[in-house]
């Protein structure tokens, strides 16, 4: 397993690792950024056209298939003030980076999210 979590806050690395394990992702780099409510609102408006706060946003880079060179999974941006469970929001965002989308799948992403949260004991 060659996962680079150097750009993930130490207190969230277990949540990221549980997400990647649940998704079967064994290589790549990702970053997690903690932001204030106004920043996440701005990002949500700029990238999704939704002018309101949200808990987490995911910005994938390399898709789920093979990549040339080191795999860049992308960035997760999370706003603790908008979360009921910060680690669950991070798990959710990481699964989006891994190519899952709960809005179009048949419950697969949310099942993986539950699996990761169970591994964390949450």
């Amino acid at each position: 397993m060659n996962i680079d979590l150097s750009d993930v806050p130490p207190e969230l690395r277990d949540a990221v690792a549980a997400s990647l394990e649940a998704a079967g992702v064994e290589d790549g780099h990702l970053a997690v950024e903690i932001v204030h409510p106004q920043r996440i609102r701005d990002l949500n408006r700029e990238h999704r056209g939704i002018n309101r706060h949200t808990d987490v946003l995911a910005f994938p880079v390399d898709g789920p298939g093979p990549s040339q060179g080191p795999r860049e999974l992308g960035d997760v941006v999370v706003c603790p003030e908008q979360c009921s469970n910060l680690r669950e929001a991070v798990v959710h965002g990481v699964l989006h980076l891994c190519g899952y989308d709960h809005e179009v799948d048949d419950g697969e992403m949310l099942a993986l999210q539950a699996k990761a949260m169970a591994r964390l004991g949450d």
Side-chain angles (χ1 to χ4, degrees), residues 28-49:
H29 168 266
L30 66 93
V32 174
E33 182 181 4
I34 306 295
V35 297
H36 294 287
Q38 188 58 51
R39 178 68 177 143
I40 204 143
R41 182 181 187 140
D42 292 345
L43 289 169
N44 204 22
R45 183 181 59 250
E46 290 169 27
H47 295 277
R48 297 179 66 222

Side-chain angles (χ1 to χ4, degrees), residues 35-45 50 52-57 77-79 82:
V35 297
H36 294 287
Q38 188 58 51
R39 178 68 177 143
I40 204 143
R41 182 181 187 140
D42 292 345
L43 289 169
N44 204 22
R45 183 181 59 250
I50 301 171
R52 67 173 192 252
H53 298 101
T54 190
D55 54 352
V56 62
L57 294 169
V77 180
V78 64
C79 179
Q82 299 297 314

Side-chain angles (χ1 to χ4, degrees), residues 1 10-11 13 15-16 18 23 27 30 33-34 37 46 55 65 68 80 84 96 99 101 104 111:
M1 184 178 220
E11 68 274 15
R13 289 180 183 163
V16 171
D27 69 312
L30 66 93
E33 182 181 4
I34 306 295
E46 290 169 27
D55 54 352
Q68 293 183 340
S84 58
H96 275 303
D101 186 348
V104 297

Side-chain angles (χ1 to χ4, degrees), residues 73-94:
L73 296 168
D75 301 318
V76 172
V77 180
V78 64
C79 179
E81 291 88 349
Q82 299 297 314
C83 298
S84 58
N85 183 325
L86 178 60
R87 292 184 344 151
E88 187 168 27
V90 169
V91 166
H92 190 87
V94 171

Side-chain angles (χ1 to χ4, degrees), residues 91-120:
V91 166
H92 190 87
V94 171
L95 289 173
H96 275 303
L97 292 184
C98 295
Y100 294 94
D101 186 348
H102 56 89
E103 294 183 9
V104 297
D105 69 18
D106 290 322
E108 185 179 10
M109 179 179 166
L110 296 180
L112 291 174
Q113 183 172 316
K115 180 179 178 181
M117 293 308 293
R119 179 175 180 261
L120 293 168

